[in-house]
Structure formats: C-alpha cells, structure tokens
Amino acid sequence: MKHNIYPDDYVASTYDIDFAALAKQGYEGVIFDVDNTLVPHGAPADERAIELFQWLHNLGYRVVLLSNNKEPRVKSFCEKVKFATYIYKANKPSPKNYRIAMENMNTTVDNTIFVGDQIFTDVWGANRAGIRSVMVKPVLKWKEEIQIILKRFIEALVMIPYPLYEKKGNCKKVPLIQKNVEKDGEA
Ligand SMILES: [Mg+2]
C-alpha cells in the first residue's frame, strides 16, 4: 500500500486517458470523482461525459461516481451519464467508500483505477485504499469558491516536488489517447 499522498500519475484531463488500453491491461473498474474531474464544479453532465461513460460501458467497465457532494447533485449527474452507480457524501479521504465502490463493482485494488482532481481528498483516499490513483487538472478552476481556490494553492505547493518523485520512477503512467492519430483518421 502506498503511504504517501502523491498520485500514481498526473495528467491534463480525464478525457486524455486511454481506457481501452487500460482495459487490455486488465482493468475492469473505474471510480471517478465528479466535480472538476468530469465537468466543472456543479455543472450537469455534458456530451463529452455522456460519450465517455458510453465508451467505458462498451469496454466492459463497471463505474462508480464517488463524490463528497450531496445526493441531488451526484444522482442527477449519474442519471444523465448512465452506466454508473454513485456514492454521495463519500467522506473522502476516508478509504471506506472506495472499498464499498469496489465491492459494488466486484473488482479489487488490482483491476480498479481512480480518477480525481484533488490531492487531499481524492488521491489520498485512493492511496489509503490501495487503489491506483490518477490526478487530473481541474476542468474549470477559475469559477470556484474562495476556499477551494485556497486549497488549490496549497495543493500546487505540495505538487512542486512531484516531477522529482516522478523522475525517481515512483509513478505508474496511464496510457493516453493519441490525439494526432485520431485527427489523421478523421482527415
Ligand atoms: Mg473534484
């Protein structure tokens, strides 16, 4: 189990992650944070999110939304993306609900991956539960409340040594979608 708070990988966006490649590696379950990981804070599911969940479903994944937000927000998001279940007021970074999410998906720490945007809730909780953690840059950070902005500032400070941590070979890189290849295909 990892005892630090750093993510296994830190990527620009949830939508850059190549879940098809991860499925080939044996991954069967994905746990997502919602706010700022899939859409801006409080925003409804958009076309991009709906397509992602359809894609994950087609790949055979089970998906759980794990949010510290209240039920109406998480439930309505879940209903719109479909193909997922949800846990609200998840009390991250407690590892408890990460474990319940895995139970619900019938997956283990070996074939589950977590994606979230905050170190002290999302990533720390996943690490404590022993789940591979991917941190993403927040979808829209400039519209946030002041206390979240302050938290992000502290997070940014904590992430300063991360490139060194990465360099030492501590990270487990996720495959990313090759966007140039896609563009060539469309042309
Ligand atoms: Mg979030």
Side-chain angles (χ1 to χ4, degrees):
M1 192 190 288
K2 286 181 53 173
H3 291 283
N4 64 67
I5 56 155
Y6 275 153
D8 286 305
D9 199 0
Y10 182 32
V11 300
S13 166
T14 304
Y15 299 94
D16 288 347
I17 300 169
D18 189 345
F19 288 100
L22 283 170
K24 280 184 195 152
Q25 291 175 14
Y27 285 87
E28 295 177 13
V30 189
I31 304 173
F32 283 115
D33 168 53
V34 178
D35 289 308
N36 280 315
T37 295
L38 292 162
V39 290
H41 190 92
D46 55 15
E47 208 47 51
R48 188 166 73 148
I50 291 165
E51 279 173 20
L52 172 66
F53 280 70
Q54 177 70 60
W55 184 43
L56 292 168
H57 176 72
N58 294 347
L59 288 168
Y61 281 102
R62 273 92 75 197
V63 182
V64 173
L65 302 170
L66 187 70
S67 174
N68 282 356
N69 214 328
K70 292 172 191 152
E71 183 166 26
R73 193 286 182 271
V74 189
K75 185 174 184 245
S76 63
F77 187 93
C78 190
E79 284 170 351
K80 207 161 174 203
V81 291
K82 301 188 185 87
F83 312 118
T85 58
Y86 66 91
I87 297 171
Y88 65 97
K89 286 193 179 167
N91 200 26
K92 295 177 281 185
S94 164
K96 189 183 161 204
N97 282 307
Y98 292 79
R99 296 190 177 119
I100 290 172
M102 287 190 287
E103 273 172 35
N104 292 349
M105 296 188 292
N106 197 22
T107 60
T108 67
V109 291
D110 296 317
N111 60 8
T112 304
I113 194 155
F114 174 83
V115 185
D117 71 298
Q118 293 193 73
I119 298 177
F120 299 115
T121 50
D122 296 320
V123 172
W124 195 27
N127 288 355
R128 288 169 82 190
I131 301 171
R132 183 175 176 183
S133 57
V134 182
M135 184 163 140
V136 296
K137 292 187 176 143
V139 178
L140 256 189
K141 60 180 171 186
W142 51 88
K143 277 191 176 176
E144 287 177 338
E145 296 163 15
I146 189 70
Q147 64 267 35
I148 301 180
I149 293 169
L150 285 172
K151 205 152 87 177
R152 294 232 178 269
F153 178 71
I154 296 164
E155 285 188 347
L157 291 179
V158 171
M159 283 303 277
I160 288 172
Y162 187 74
L164 194 69
Y165 174 81
E166 205 172 9
K167 224 175 171 179
K168 282 185 179 167
N170 292 308
C171 293
K172 196 173 175 186
K173 294 272 169 194
V174 284
L176 298 176
I177 294 167
Q178 301 296 316
K179 288 190 178 158
N180 295 333
V181 174
E182 270 187 354
K183 272 182 200 156
D184 290 345
E186 283 165 12

